[in-house]
Amino acid sequence: MIVAVIALAALGGAQPAHRDATTDACEEVVRFGLFDAIAPISIAATTAWLDDAPRVCFGYYRERSGPDALLTLAHGDYDIALMGSTVFTTAIERGVPVSAVGILALPTSSEGLATRAGLGEPRSLRGSTLATVRGSTAHYHLEAFLHEMTIDARDVTIVFGQYVEIMRLWDAGKIDGAACWAPCLDHVLTKPHGGTGAPGALLYDAETLLRWGFGTGIVIVAHDDFISRRPDVVQRVVERSIRAANDYRTNRDGPDWTAGRFADAAGRFLAMDLGNETTVPAAFVVNQLGRTEWPDTRTQIGFLEIGIESLQHQAAFSFAQKDLAEPPYEDPSIYLPHIGASFLRAVTTETVPLDAEPDPVPDFIPYAVRAQLPVPGEGCEPFSVIDGDATFDDGSTGENAYARNANCVWALRAPATGCVALDVPFLSSEGVRDRVEVFSATGDLRATFFGRRGGHPTTVGCVVADAPPPGVAAALVGGAAPDIEGVGLYVRWSTDDEDELAMGAIEPVGFRATARAIEPQERICGPGRGGALCDAPYCVGVVEVTGEGGVIKTQVADDAYQPNSRCAWRIPARGGRVVLDVARLGLERVRDVVTIYDGGAAPPGFNTLARPPPVDVFGRTNELSRRTRYRMSGTHAPSTPLVFDNDVFVTFESDGIANGPRDGGPAGLEIRWRRDVVDGDLCPEAASCGRNGRCEEGVCVCDTGYYGETCAFDTCVGAAPWRVAPSGRIVSNAGADYSPGQFCGWPLNIPGREGESIAGIRLRFDRFDIEAPEGQATTTDRAVVFYSVGPQQGSVLCIFRRVMSQQGQTSAGAAVDPATDETKFTFDDGDTLEVLLPEPAAAGANVQLMLGFETDANNHRPFSGFDVTYGVAFDGPAFCDERWPCAEGEVCEDDRCVDEKPRKSKHSRSRRQLRRMKRGVIVAMIVFACVIGLAFCVFGGIYGARVVRTKDELETERVRVVRDQVDSARQWVEDFQAPFCVVAADTFIALGALRPHEALRDGPRDADDDECDKQHTRLEFYDSVDDVERARRGGAVFVFLSHQWLGHAHPDPAGIHYKAMCRALQAVAEDAGVALSAVRAWVDVSSIPQANQATQSLAVASLPTFASCVDYFIVVAPDTEHVTTGCGCDAATYRKRAWCRAEVVACWARRGADRMFVATNRGLRPLFVDTGDGVDTYLEECLEVFAGDLTCCRLQHPDGEPCDKEALVPPFLGLIAELYRDRKQRPEAWEMVSDRVDELFPRTFSYESGGAATTLPLFGDLVEAVTRLVDSESAGDAPPDLVLRGLAPGTTGQRHVAAKAHRGGARSESGRRLASTPTSTTAGP
């Protein structure tokens, strides 16, 4: 941001009499949060066009991003704000009381991804580092682009920051590209990369993603309180925004918008971010406005009301990116109360020119064009001491902005009364980023004030009887500062490096505080009240709890707690026992958290002396992580009281977006606590440990996977007690799913042994089921081993994550190097791992380690966590016990594995007997060798002659088999091997769900069949390709609907694919210009026999031929989940399957890509996208048919059944013959495969069955055989059999030849296979 002051002068025209140069005459100031890019409505900020002075004036604030705008709007510091639709969906999903009242813009080329030189095509992005603003529409588009280009998110490093930070990273050469919007995008496109390289180039823009179905918009969002209080003002904003957009669309080439007053007014708004100019060049304004679509009223209403499905898709993205803690709502009606389309429908002046009545745009207003920025020299001192009554402030004057990067501390010395009170009568700051914090003399946080709302409670501090701990002032200042005697309170004012960036009706900002003497007083606030005078109906700062019991609450009312809360309660045990009964827990899940610490010391953030150590693990470290006993969120309170035999420190923190459970109910925390005298065990009765533990020696011993002093939790919730043992077992959770937003730790004190050194720790994960990155779903869930105490405390030894295979179907554990974040190796359940220390410990010394487990905001499906057995690893013989048995040939002695001693023989022979035996063996061997030699001489000649004869016969037989296979394959694709069955589109849509083939063929069979079956149950059968062509000439349009099954038992249990198919068929009818009744749909479950396996096999083997004879090929792949496995199913998982790839390639090979589409949640769009170099990554991946996933391979071919890859050889060999034959007519198609023949059509494949693997022929030399035959036929210069000599058959043909040779040349039937029985089809799950 800029440091200099921008002095904007008024230009031209008379100022209306009712305008005032200050805001003093305004009865109400409406705060409007805007983006950095300009829009037609930007002219209002520099002309006061929205004002209705003196009643209402507008102040405009430039926000850095949509997520920041949402935070400020939710806190109540804005009345209206702009944000991307992705951020708006986050607000709805989190229950923020806001509504969309209009759509300002639909980004086109003003937002996109720009990359450095050398990254000009999508596939080159692998290994790159890209930057974006987290949770923004630009982030959504980036992830969607990677997903559509089949680039695994794990192959790209994405860093997050505000757009200003992104521009700095680009200038420093630390990123390879940026996904952002103007002016950030313009910066990357015009500034040299790293200061010396070429400027960036645009790889995609928002308009491209819109065409692909990933439309987003810039939404005008208002707080519901403001809508109910001032609907007239909201209507004015909507009305004039639409009017300005219409005027721009109508007159964009006219003088006002190209170089006149409107262009200049918008330029003055943009100048605030670009330097100390009064405006920017008109050409720049024209360029910025022309790169965005400014929608009319009808388009905006459609986006809000009809586009709810698109909003839900964006919410699903936010959930996958961990910006939402709870799954998005599936019911679209949840969104309706947040759509304020009534304001759009009430617009009456859309087409009125801006210079016409009513309310023409005025000329520039002096106060409207003044930017609020800091003035050099204004600010506050780093450290000041105040004695007695005094007033102090941040140092800014008038309406100037306060200084950036401020950190000012005031030590308030208490007068003779011994106590000092602090009042903050004025505070106006930029949200929680700039704030006033108040600390006690001992460093405890007493209060935090920020934002633009008043009503801050009084804070009181007194001189402590004992000398306060040293270093409080220095810790607050962040440098040298003296310890001051007699201090009652410390006050700190801190700001970030961003300016206010306000204009329009500017309000004074900064703070003013008053210190005054006060008499000591004992005031105990009631439950839920805070402040020294108990005048706040919510908790404030750290409270010293007194008495023997009581109630702790976060707020008085039950509807909502205070945003951005930082409250704590210190409960001393005083030699007794502290019992906490959580009576109510109603928090937003993960985002708002209650943490209970063992001991009375405050954690960082609640005492200025509690500073994080230099080495940080997971944001929580060492002693702090060991002290964290419970971390609770959401609405599930523990069922039994929590018991502590030590002091307790309870904290409550909220993030300011939503202030209660998402789905309603009482909000906040209520704990009933008491202090008991220690007069017995922690669990004097068996029932004290609940149903999940037992009482042993006065302590609850929890069952495996249960935690807490009373075993009340079925998942880990903090730090477990120390374990002092050489081995043990740790289970993260007993429930079906571990808790999100959690940090658990198991401190391990591994005892040493005299004379031996500990080298590390062995781990065996018998279960390692934690979340792995999958599709668009990211995760940071991980387990880690690190030093717990000592000079290396916090140093990470190893990190364990879950990683997905490249096909995204299977996952495995991964050991990750903490220094490089690279996977060292992967492991499966049951594997033994060894984590070594950098250096073995001293002989006999103990080693203190910790196993930590951190989880992020959500789990996209339930995960069972981990079950790990650990054991010490000595620098010598292996440790052993009942958990760690020795290897074969070793025995366990004294906890160490040693070689098993050999047994002594019970009988021995004399040396003479041994010598006699040796001589006998030698004589026998000589005799045997003579006999064998004679036999070879007799039979060698006979066998050799026979081998010579058999060799020629075998070569002739092999040529015949190759010729048969090639001829059969070429005939295979010329016609169907089974009838081509289709359903009329109108019949299909009337069915209501996918129906099996037999139901449509036979009609209803009993009274239970519904009326739909009785009226619409018919199939049409086509026996040949010629039949299809005749029907096509008669007006029929054939559609092949290809999809992935969503369940093992049913292809579409919830009807998700069926609905997408119906929409696709309607779109086809419209595109082809025919009635629905003329459209014929092929879909697997309806078109392939399901009951008769023989006919099913023939139909399945004909799939490539079916797919190649249709008019439209549609991949049906909306984003959803497989009901059996819970895994995501979408366009990416569809194209992982071999049969799906086969259908795609078969259609493309014969009919091209013109009428191939994909149906997703965003509608119908082209299946293939040109990436600029004529190559489509989707097609490239689909060409790898024989590298795709097959169910038969996953099941390892039970009972030795054939592999589906063999069934695909004949049709694909036939297609290869056609591509090669027609290579001159369609050179681009043959070029796609010619350089990759060996890769795409492999000679052999690995066949696994019953746990054994073997290599079998697949294509053999059949591809070369096809090309030789085609060339021979074209030239007519050699007999076919001659050109095939020396070539090996493929698939079962080669098995046949090998078997014939083994039988010595006996005649057998041809090895050609017409169809192997597939175990999975397109319909396979």
Side-chain angles (χ1 to χ4, degrees):
M1 295 297 175
I2 45 180
V3 178
V5 181
I6 301 176
L8 300 177
L11 297 179
Q15 178 181 325
H18 66 274
R19 310 289 189 183
D20 197 293
T22 70
T23 60
D24 295 338
C26 297
E27 299 174 8
E28 180 180 3
V29 174
V30 177
R31 302 188 184 105
F32 197 163
L34 302 176
F35 276 165
D36 303 276
I38 56 174
I41 192 59
S42 299
I43 62 175
T46 52
T47 61
W49 185 37
L50 292 180
D51 288 16
D52 187 18
R55 294 189 305 120
V56 174
C57 301
F58 274 74
Y60 302 91
Y61 295 85
R62 302 288 294 280
E63 268 298 354
R64 294 170 287 192
S65 67
D68 281 344
L70 173 60
L71 180 65
T72 310
L73 183 66
H75 191 256
D77 286 348
Y78 286 157
D79 301 302
I80 306 176
L82 302 180
M83 62 188 68
S85 53
T86 305
V87 180
F88 173 61
T89 61
T90 299
I92 297 176
E93 294 289 342
R94 294 185 64 179
V96 181
V98 296
S99 297
V101 296
I103 303 297
L104 178 74
L106 300 176
T108 53
S109 61
S110 60
E111 181 213 302
L113 171 64
T115 56
R116 63 169 174 79
L119 299 181
E121 55 184 46
R123 54 186 166 184
S124 62
L125 293 178
R126 291 183 173 90
S128 65
T129 299
L130 308 177
T132 190
V133 178
R134 184 177 185 90
S136 64
T137 55
H139 182 198
Y140 170 65
H141 280 160
L142 174 61
E143 294 283 353
F145 179 79
L146 296 177
H147 182 264
E148 292 298 300
M149 292 293 102
T150 68
I151 299 174
D152 196 307
R154 293 164 290 178
D155 294 337
V156 177
T157 300
I158 300 178
V159 297
F160 300 107
Q162 298 297 341
Y163 74 91
V164 175
E165 300 171 287
I166 293 174
M167 291 190 290
R168 293 170 185 161
L169 291 173
W170 175 264
D171 294 341
K174 294 183 178 180
I175 57 175
D176 299 307
C180 54
W181 55 90
C184 168
L185 183 64
D186 296 328
H187 183 93
V188 176
L189 290 173
T190 57
K191 301 296 182 182
H193 180 249
T196 58
L202 190 68
L203 190 57
Y204 72 77
D205 57 20
E207 187 174 14
T208 302
L209 274 299
L210 175 64
R211 291 198 305 269
W212 293 358
F214 297 94
T216 61
I218 305 302
V219 188
I220 305 173
V221 182
H223 200 285
D224 287 349
D225 289 345
F226 184 71
I227 292 175
S228 62
R229 184 170 57 84
R230 296 305 305 265
D232 57 323
V233 176
V234 175
Q235 185 64 48
R236 185 185 313 146
V237 171
V238 173
E239 188 107 20
R240 298 190 182 181
S241 171
I242 290 175
R243 184 176 165 190
N246 181 76
D247 192 275
Y248 170 76
R249 290 195 309 272
T250 305
N251 305 301
R252 59 182 302 168
D253 297 326
D256 282 344
W257 287 106
T258 55
R261 60 187 189 123
F262 296 155
D264 198 31
R268 290 173 177 275
F269 172 80
L270 190 60
M272 194 190 313
D273 231 15
L274 300 180
N276 58 351
E277 309 164 54
T278 58
T279 187
V280 296
F284 186 79
V285 174
V286 171
N287 174 270
Q288 294 291 299
L289 289 173
R291 292 163 57 192
T292 300
E293 177 184 346
W294 311 103
D296 58 17
T297 304
R298 182 178 178 182
T299 302
Q300 295 188 41
I301 293 174
F303 186 97
L304 289 175
E305 293 188 340
I306 303 175
I308 288 180
E309 185 177 352
S310 173
L311 296 177
Q312 288 181 294
H313 185 268
Q314 294 175 59
F317 158 79
S318 298
F319 181 74
Q321 294 296 313
K322 310 301 180 181
D323 292 326
L324 293 176
E326 299 185 75
Y329 292 113
E330 295 183 0
D331 183 1
S333 65
I334 300 293
Y335 280 63
L336 293 178
H338 298 274
I339 304 299
S342 60
F343 293 102
L344 292 169
R345 290 194 173 90
V347 171
T348 60
T349 60
E350 178 172 5
T351 59
V352 176
L354 293 183
D355 54 1
E357 295 292 343
D359 295 314
V361 175
D363 293 324
F364 301 111
I365 308 301
Y367 86 80
V369 295
R370 186 175 73 254
Q372 185 172 38
L373 294 168
V375 173
E378 292 190 352
C380 46
E381 296 295 327
F383 185 70
S384 306
V385 179
I386 293 181
D387 292 302
D389 295 356
T391 298
F392 56 98
D393 56 41
D394 63 277
S396 60
T397 62
E399 294 174 346
N400 296 330
Y402 46 75
R404 301 179 303 147
N405 294 312
N407 190 77
C408 304
V409 178
W410 293 266
L412 309 185
R413 276 206 286 224
T417 58
C419 297
V420 61
L422 176 76
D423 295 301
V424 183
F426 170 73
L427 171 64
S428 180
S429 72
E430 193 179 13
V432 72
R433 297 183 290 266
D434 305 331
R435 58 192 180 184
V436 173
E437 296 169 291
V438 186
F439 298 87
S440 70
T442 60
D444 276 349
L445 177 71
R446 286 288 183 250
T448 303
F449 307 131
F450 57 87
R452 308 182 193 279
R453 297 183 298 177
H456 305 297
T458 299
T459 310
V460 174
C462 300
V463 178
V464 296
D466 300 327
V472 174
L476 289 169
V477 172
D483 291 322
I484 308 297
E485 295 184 357
V487 172
L489 291 173
Y490 289 97
V491 180
R492 178 170 64 189
W493 164 249
S494 57
T495 65
D496 63 8
D497 63 349
E498 301 287 346
D499 295 326
E500 277 291 299
L501 289 178
M503 64 191 313
I506 296 175
E507 302 172 279
V509 294
F511 85 97
R512 182 176 68 257
T514 301
R516 54 187 173 87
I518 193 173
E519 296 290 336
Q521 51 186 296
E522 285 289 334
R523 189 187 293 268
I524 300 176
C525 297
R529 290 201 165 273
L533 306 180
C534 304
D535 51 348
Y538 48 83
C539 62
V540 178
V542 179
V543 176
E544 301 285 345
V545 175
T546 59
E548 299 301 315
V551 176
I552 292 172
K553 291 183 67 176
T554 51
Q555 79 281 353
V556 175
D558 293 340
D559 54 350
Y561 40 81
Q562 186 74 354
N564 295 107
S565 293
R566 288 167 68 197
C567 309
W569 298 265
R570 182 182 284 114
I571 308 175
R574 295 177 185 168
R577 180 180 299 143
V578 177
V579 180
L580 305 180
D581 186 0
V582 183
R584 182 177 77 232
L585 186 68
L587 312 179
E588 186 187 15
R589 191 179 182 189
V590 175
R591 305 302 181 189
D592 304 333
V593 180
V594 172
T595 309
I596 303 177
Y597 297 93
D598 187 15
F606 291 89
N607 186 288
T608 188
L609 296 176
R611 306 192 65 80
V615 180
D616 192 39
V617 178
F618 301 141
R620 316 159 185 81
T621 55
N622 314 317
E623 182 181 353
L624 177 63
S625 61
R626 292 198 304 272
R627 288 183 49 221
T628 305
R629 300 299 294 276
Y630 298 99
R631 183 176 169 85
M632 296 181 290
S633 188
T635 57
H636 299 294
S639 57
T640 58
L642 311 179
V643 184
F644 303 84
D645 56 1
N646 197 2
D647 295 351
V648 175
F649 197 91
V650 181
T651 66
F652 168 63
E653 298 173 88
S654 65
D655 73 344
I657 296 292
N659 307 305
R662 183 179 76 159
D663 296 324
L669 170 73
E670 181 178 339
I671 296 179
R672 297 167 186 166
W673 72 274
R674 69 177 187 274
R675 186 183 296 109
D676 290 347
V677 177
V678 177
D679 57 359
D681 298 333
L682 283 174
C683 52
E685 302 175 0
S688 302
C689 302
R691 296 176 296 177
N692 306 312
R694 61 192 183 280
C695 188
E696 292 184 4
E697 298 180 357
V699 178
C700 288
V701 178
C702 300
D703 296 341
T704 301
Y706 289 92
Y707 292 90
E709 277 78 2
T710 56
C711 309
F713 298 89
D714 65 356
T715 184
C716 62
V717 288
W722 275 100
R723 294 173 177 236
V724 184
S727 70
R729 181 186 177 204
I730 297 171
V731 178
S732 60
N733 53 288
D737 193 12
Y738 56 77
S739 294
Q742 190 61 263
F743 176 78
C744 305
W746 294 266
L748 310 175
N749 188 354
I750 302 176
R753 192 166 185 173
E754 185 176 355
E756 294 187 80
S757 297
I758 297 177
I761 185 175
R762 286 194 294 171
L763 301 174
R764 184 179 64 247
F765 285 97
D766 296 313
R767 182 181 76 247
F768 191 71
D769 182 33
I770 69 174
E771 188 177 23
E774 187 174 325
Q776 284 187 320
T778 62
T779 184
T780 57
D781 292 1
R782 54 185 179 173
V784 67
V785 175
F786 60 96
Y787 279 105
S788 182
V789 296
Q792 292 179 301
Q793 64 176 357
S795 297
V796 178
L797 297 175
C798 194
I799 297 171
F800 301 99
R801 295 194 181 114
R802 196 80 176 171
V803 295
M804 296 295 295
S805 68
Q806 289 300 317
Q807 291 75 26
Q809 299 297 317
T810 60
S811 62
V816 180
D817 187 338
T820 63
D821 201 41
E822 295 180 354
T823 298
K824 296 194 292 186
F825 58 85
T826 59
F827 60 89
D828 295 318
D829 291 354
D831 290 349
T832 296
L833 319 174
E834 198 166 73
V835 179
L836 298 179
L837 308 179
E839 296 290 339
N846 290 9
V847 171
Q848 289 82 27
L849 302 175
M850 179 174 280
L851 175 65
F853 182 39
E854 184 191 39
T855 65
D856 55 28
N858 64 55
N859 295 337
H860 69 269
R861 61 177 176 83
F863 294 90
S864 57
F866 61 78
D867 181 345
V868 61
T869 300
Y870 69 89
V872 61
F874 285 105
D875 189 18
F879 167 81
C880 57
D881 63 3
E882 68 279 2
R883 297 186 180 92
W884 294 96
C886 296
E888 185 177 354
E890 296 180 332
V891 294
C892 188
E893 293 183 2
D894 195 22
D895 298 337
R896 299 296 183 274
C897 292
V898 297
D899 291 336
E900 187 175 7
K901 297 178 181 179
R903 297 180 179 179
K904 294 183 179 180
S905 176
K906 295 182 179 179
H907 306 283
S908 62
R909 296 180 174 89
S910 66
R911 292 183 179 178
R912 182 179 300 173
Q913 289 173 317
L914 292 175
R915 285 195 298 270
R916 187 178 298 124
M917 180 182 292
K918 291 179 180 178
R919 286 196 296 268
V921 170
I922 292 172
V923 171
M925 291 177 64
I926 292 173
V927 173
F928 180 75
C930 293
V931 174
I932 293 299
L934 181 61
F936 272 116
C937 290
V938 173
F939 297 108
I942 299 173
Y943 183 78
R946 183 176 181 182
V947 166
V948 171
R949 290 195 304 269
T950 303
K951 182 177 180 181
D952 289 337
E953 293 177 0
L954 288 177
E955 182 61 28
T956 302
E957 173 68 8
R958 187 162 69 166
V959 168
R960 189 184 67 81
V961 171
V962 170
R963 178 64 185 272
D964 284 349
Q965 288 186 317
V966 172
D967 290 345
S968 174
R970 298 175 73 178
Q971 294 169 9
W972 189 281
V973 295
E974 291 177 1
D975 218 330
F976 304 141
Q977 305 301 313
F980 182 54
C981 306
V982 294
V983 188
D986 55 344
T987 298
F988 182 86
I989 292 174
L991 292 175
L994 289 180
R995 302 299 177 93
H997 175 85
E998 287 72 17
L1000 298 183
R1001 181 193 65 192
D1002 303 335
R1005 296 187 176 184
D1006 53 52
D1008 292 334
D1009 288 345
D1010 59 31
E1011 287 301 318
C1012 179
D1013 278 334
K1014 295 176 181 178
Q1015 297 175 14
H1016 303 282
T1017 55
R1018 73 175 186 271
L1019 288 172
E1020 295 181 11
F1021 294 84
Y1022 296 87
D1023 294 320
S1024 67
V1025 174
D1026 289 341
D1027 291 345
V1028 173
E1029 289 299 330
R1030 280 192 293 271
R1032 182 179 288 115
R1033 290 193 294 271
V1037 176
F1038 292 89
V1039 182
F1040 191 101
L1041 298 170
S1042 179
H1043 72 127
Q1044 175 185 6
W1045 274 33
L1046 301 181
H1048 286 165
H1050 193 280
D1052 190 26
I1056 295 173
H1057 279 184
Y1058 173 77
K1059 295 176 183 177
M1061 290 175 182
C1062 292
R1063 291 194 295 267
L1065 292 174
Q1066 291 169 336
V1068 165
E1070 182 178 351
D1071 183 71
V1074 298
L1076 271 175
S1077 58
V1079 177
R1080 302 291 184 266
W1082 186 101
V1083 59
D1084 51 10
V1085 69
S1086 300
S1087 300
I1088 293 179
Q1090 303 295 305
N1092 187 299
Q1093 294 298 312
T1095 55
Q1096 182 187 71
S1097 299
L1098 288 173
V1100 169
S1102 300
L1103 283 177
T1105 311
F1106 291 161
S1108 66
C1109 72
V1110 296
D1111 301 289
Y1112 288 82
F1113 182 96
I1114 298 177
V1115 173
V1116 181
D1119 295 349
T1120 183
E1121 287 187 353
H1122 194 283
V1123 298
T1124 308
T1125 65
C1127 296
C1129 292
D1130 55 16
T1133 61
Y1134 166 89
R1135 60 179 175 262
K1136 299 296 183 185
R1137 299 190 57 78
W1139 281 103
C1140 298
R1141 292 179 179 184
E1143 294 165 3
V1144 171
V1145 173
C1147 183
W1148 166 82
R1150 278 196 161 175
R1151 309 192 73 84
D1154 290 343
R1155 291 189 174 183
M1156 299 183 72
F1157 300 92
V1158 59
T1160 67
N1161 300 73
R1162 280 82 59 195
L1164 211 61
R1165 62 175 181 78
L1167 181 61
F1168 301 137
V1169 180
D1170 189 352
T1171 58
D1173 58 357
V1175 178
D1176 181 83
T1177 54
Y1178 194 115
L1179 177 57
E1180 283 190 325
E1181 184 177 4
C1182 286
L1183 283 171
E1184 299 171 1
V1185 174
F1186 294 88
D1189 298 334
L1190 288 166
T1191 302
C1192 63
C1193 296
R1194 178 171 57 84
L1195 299 178
Q1196 295 194 347
H1197 310 94
D1199 301 323
E1201 64 184 15
C1203 181
D1204 283 3
K1205 292 180 182 179
E1206 299 177 85
L1208 284 167
V1209 168
F1212 268 83
L1213 191 61
L1215 290 174
I1216 294 169
E1218 290 187 355
L1219 286 175
Y1220 186 71
R1221 181 195 64 199
D1222 301 333
R1223 62 190 183 280
K1224 293 182 179 179
Q1225 289 75 27
R1226 294 186 60 204
E1228 74 287 348
W1230 177 246
E1231 288 172 2
M1232 288 289 290
V1233 300
S1234 59
D1235 295 334
R1236 305 174 63 195
V1237 166
D1238 292 338
E1239 173 193 357
L1240 300 180
F1241 312 109
R1243 294 172 53 85
T1244 62
F1245 74 107
S1246 178
Y1247 178 88
E1248 296 185 21
S1249 180
T1254 185
T1255 299
L1256 295 179
L1258 191 60
F1259 277 88
D1261 293 330
L1262 293 179
V1263 175
E1264 185 175 353
V1266 161
T1267 58
R1268 288 187 185 184
L1269 279 175
V1270 172
D1271 290 340
S1272 175
E1273 292 167 356
S1274 300
D1277 56 358
D1281 288 351
L1282 184 61
V1283 300
L1284 298 181
R1285 295 188 66 83
L1287 301 182
T1291 184
T1292 53
Q1294 191 156 325
R1295 298 195 213 177
H1296 162 69
V1297 173
K1300 186 177 188 305
H1302 179 70
R1303 292 193 297 269
R1307 300 282 303 173
S1308 68
E1309 62 179 328
S1310 170
R1312 180 181 58 177
R1313 173 184 292 175
L1314 290 181
S1316 60
T1317 304
T1319 58
S1320 65
T1321 71
T1322 308

